[in-house]
Amino acid sequence: MKKILLNASQKEEVRLAVVENNRLIDLDIDFPSKNIKSNIYKGVISRVEPSLEAAFINFGRKRHGFLPFKEISPEIFSNSNKSSRDCLETGKEIIVQVDKEERGTKGAALTTYLSLAGKYLVLLPKNPSTGGISRRIEGDERTKAKKLMDSLDIPDGMSVILRTSSLESSEESIKWDIEYLIQIYESVLETSVQQDAPFLIYQESSMMARLIRDYCDESVNEVFIDDKKFYDDFLGAKKLFLPHHSIKTEYHSDLTPIFSKHKIEKQVQTVYKRNINLPSGGNIVIDST
């Protein structure tokens, strides 16, 4: 019996534990304020630098993001001459995705070519000719993957990248995955017109996205969540994106912390141990550089 415990009561750190037969088998920790990679924002062009072949974008963070011209889809340019200094307009609103997070004093690297990762594939809604099959898939499995690709109904103007996990799944599940990603993209477009920039449109790297996409499958029987808002949001997301999954979902309102209640807090603490004892009698020591 497999269950998921979601500890979201502390806003600065969200912890997800996957437990099978009372044994911790996976631990995922998210820092919402720091983890912005792959998030989608509506931003505004604050400065154009032709000498750098890039524009700076105010997307709601303290440091403006860096958007190279090569990462700008053609319809965003204001005229047909892509080498012109006037190819972009300061003040123009633009939808961007974080390609690389902020590092040191540098702002985040951005792109307008959105990519939405699913359980079995990645949707590229603005790249009709960039999709394909994961490079990790080789040999006979590649032939199988090509047949799978041919069976997919991909909307015009879009493409997909087939992930290695797709080979172990049913055709029905993969078709559901692409429909799920198209729904997200349509939601992004709908949300983007609701208010002026800058603002966060979609938190691709959020724990909620990972919970739905990466953890909730046929092997999971129960989900326990200790934050009421997260619990309510999950019920809504489950109804929309996991309609065929019958997962028991329960709000943990007990005063005893959720990990302690399910007797895994000590197991979680062992993850942080510097010294790991091996069955052979040896040990591994882990230090950060």
Side-chain angles (χ1 to χ4, degrees):
M1 179 175 162
K2 188 185 287 187
K3 60 186 176 183
I4 293 173
L5 309 178
L6 206 293
N7 173 212
S9 56
Q10 303 298 320
K11 303 302 178 187
E12 66 278 0
E13 180 182 288
V14 181
R15 302 188 298 172
L16 178 149
V18 181
V19 181
E20 188 170 21
N21 298 324
N22 298 318
R23 181 171 172 266
L24 179 69
I25 60 171
D26 202 348
L27 179 67
D28 191 348
I29 300 175
D30 182 35
F31 300 95
S33 63
K34 297 179 181 178
N35 189 12
I36 64 169
K37 183 173 170 58
S38 298
N39 285 356
I40 298 172
Y41 296 83
K42 185 177 183 180
V44 59
I45 299 173
S46 58
R47 196 166 88 248
V48 179
E49 293 288 350
S51 60
L52 297 175
E53 295 192 340
F56 288 91
I57 311 296
N58 175 11
F59 65 109
R61 304 284 292 185
K62 186 176 180 180
R63 285 194 287 267
H64 290 192
F66 183 80
L67 177 64
F69 286 175
K70 66 179 182 179
E71 293 295 333
I72 302 176
S73 54
E75 77 271 10
I76 294 170
F77 285 89
S78 58
N79 62 47
S80 58
N81 183 3
K82 303 298 185 287
S83 62
S84 168
R85 288 175 178 268
D86 303 317
C87 62
L88 291 172
E89 302 167 355
T90 301
K92 181 182 178 71
E93 293 187 331
I94 188 171
I95 297 175
V96 293
Q97 186 170 35
V98 177
D99 190 34
K100 293 180 182 176
E101 290 184 331
E102 300 165 348
R103 55 252 189 246
T105 57
K106 292 184 179 180
L110 308 175
T111 180
T112 65
Y113 291 105
L114 308 183
S115 64
L116 295 167
K119 198 184 290 282
Y120 307 114
L121 47 83
V122 178
L123 178 69
L124 307 170
K126 289 191 175 184
N127 292 15
S129 58
T130 312
I133 299 166
S134 170
R135 292 176 184 175
R136 296 180 183 178
I137 301 175
E138 299 174 340
D140 293 339
E141 289 187 334
R142 200 163 186 84
T143 305
K144 180 183 176 183
K146 285 180 180 178
K147 289 181 181 178
L148 200 54
M149 280 286 283
D150 293 338
S151 70
L152 295 176
D153 183 18
I154 303 169
D156 292 339
M158 300 185 184
S159 63
V160 300
I161 297 173
L162 214 60
R163 303 176 76 173
T164 51
S165 56
S166 64
L167 297 176
E168 305 300 324
S169 183
S170 66
E171 190 175 313
E172 182 185 356
S173 295
I174 294 170
K175 287 181 178 178
W176 171 85
D177 203 33
I178 193 170
E179 288 172 5
Y180 158 71
L181 293 174
I182 290 170
Q183 281 185 62
I184 289 178
Y185 179 60
E186 289 173 347
S187 174
V188 165
L189 296 180
E190 186 179 330
T191 306
S192 69
V193 299
Q194 292 177 357
Q195 67 183 79
D196 295 332
F199 72 95
L200 172 66
I201 298 175
Y202 175 67
Q203 198 170 357
E204 158 73 15
S205 54
S206 71
M207 185 61 83
M208 176 67 79
R210 296 206 296 276
L211 174 58
I212 294 284
R213 182 186 68 209
D214 300 333
Y215 294 104
C216 286
D217 56 30
E218 291 81 0
S219 67
V220 175
N221 306 101
E222 298 173 303
V223 175
F224 297 87
I225 300 171
D226 67 357
D227 178 77
K228 189 64 168 68
K229 186 180 184 308
F230 201 107
Y231 171 76
D232 292 338
D233 290 346
F234 175 70
L235 289 181
K238 187 176 76 164
K239 187 176 180 181
L240 181 63
F241 297 122
L242 301 168
H244 57 289
H245 282 221
S246 56
I247 302 172
K248 178 187 173 184
T249 309
E250 188 175 312
Y251 170 54
H252 176 86
S253 57
D254 199 310
L255 292 176
T256 306
I258 188 169
F259 282 10
S260 299
K261 178 78 174 180
H262 291 266
K263 298 180 174 58
I264 64 156
E265 188 63 59
K266 287 185 178 179
Q267 294 182 57
V268 170
Q269 294 307 316
T270 62
V271 173
Y272 299 97
K273 286 177 64 178
R274 177 175 176 267
N275 196 76
I276 294 95
N277 296 319
L278 302 176
S280 62
N283 57 66
I284 298 173
V285 178
I286 300 172
D287 276 329
S288 58
T289 59

